[in-house]
Amino acid sequence: MRFFKHALAALSLGLVALGAGASPANPQNGVDYRTLDKPQQTDSGKKVEVTEFFWYSCPHCNALEPALVDWVKKQGDKIVFKRVPIAFRDSFVPEQKLYYTLETLGRLDDLHPKVFQSVHEQKRPLNSEASITTWAVAQGLDKQKFLDVFNSFGVQSKVGRAKQLQVAYQVDGVPLIAIDGRYLTSPSIVGNSMRNQPEEALQAGTLQVMDWLVAKAAKEKGAGGMTPAAAEAPKK
């Protein structure tokens, strides 16, 4: 991917300028990533859980998506990857419901990227039940079946759970990546040590920090086969 090569080149130049201080190659807590005060329990077993908090209408989420998808593929079976659509306002909820409807219908693999394309390339807002339903039918989905799932208790329950996770992970912007219920990083966080770098370089830096955090979390889990949350629980 041409843009990614350019991003890595820009990242390398940035690292030279930063010297031996904090950088994606030498991540520091509070600079390139932050640690939750209260680690969250994960259900990924011995694998490292990686969760992206995102919003379909976020241009930065859209920009990160191709590189993030490639990164996840390269991890193989080392990780369990999840996504959580967030809502900073009630107007975000229809897009949350769209994500969970596609998930329920088993259509995330082919239609998740098309949502980003529709919103950001075709400039087609998908922020209401009406616009989303029209879009879904255009993708070949049965209108009534789609609406039944979109307005189902199951989807509403997942939206409620997403709200709880958003609070628990202290999500204050997207995209935000959580590593194994404990560590958080993002292009904006990495920007603390990569000042004045283009977005592509910040994305590459974020993925580099994610590599480092996945290795760190895997080592911690391997120490006792526990998640960080379990490992830090007080002994009785």
Side-chain angles (χ1 to χ4, degrees), residues 91-125:
S91 60
F92 288 29
V93 173
E95 292 180 57
Q96 287 182 300
K97 293 174 67 176
L98 170 57
Y99 176 82
Y100 287 122
T101 299
L102 295 179
E103 180 182 65
T104 301
L105 293 173
R107 298 297 301 273
L108 277 179
D109 286 348
D110 62 324
L111 294 183
H112 176 74
K114 288 187 177 181
V115 178
F116 278 120
Q117 292 171 8
S118 296
V119 173
H120 298 280
E121 295 178 20
Q122 300 171 14
K123 308 301 180 183
R124 182 177 182 178

Side-chain angles (χ1 to χ4, degrees), residues 2 12 27 29-30 37 44 99-100 107 118 127 132 134 143 151 173 195 197 206 210-211 213 220 227 234:
R2 181 176 298 176
S12 297
N29 188 27
D37 293 332
S44 54
Y99 176 82
Y100 287 122
R107 298 297 301 273
S118 296
N127 53 10
I132 287 172
T134 298
K143 180 178 181 179
N151 293 306
R195 299 184 186 280
Q197 294 293 319
T206 300
M210 288 165 58
D211 282 332
L213 289 173
E220 291 168 345
T227 64

Side-chain angles (χ1 to χ4, degrees), residues 141-161:
L141 296 175
D142 179 81
K143 180 178 181 179
Q144 192 56 54
K145 183 176 182 180
F146 179 85
L147 285 172
D148 287 345
V149 175
F150 189 83
N151 293 306
S152 67
F153 175 77
V155 164
Q156 192 57 49
S157 295
K158 290 182 178 181
V159 168
R161 176 57 178 160

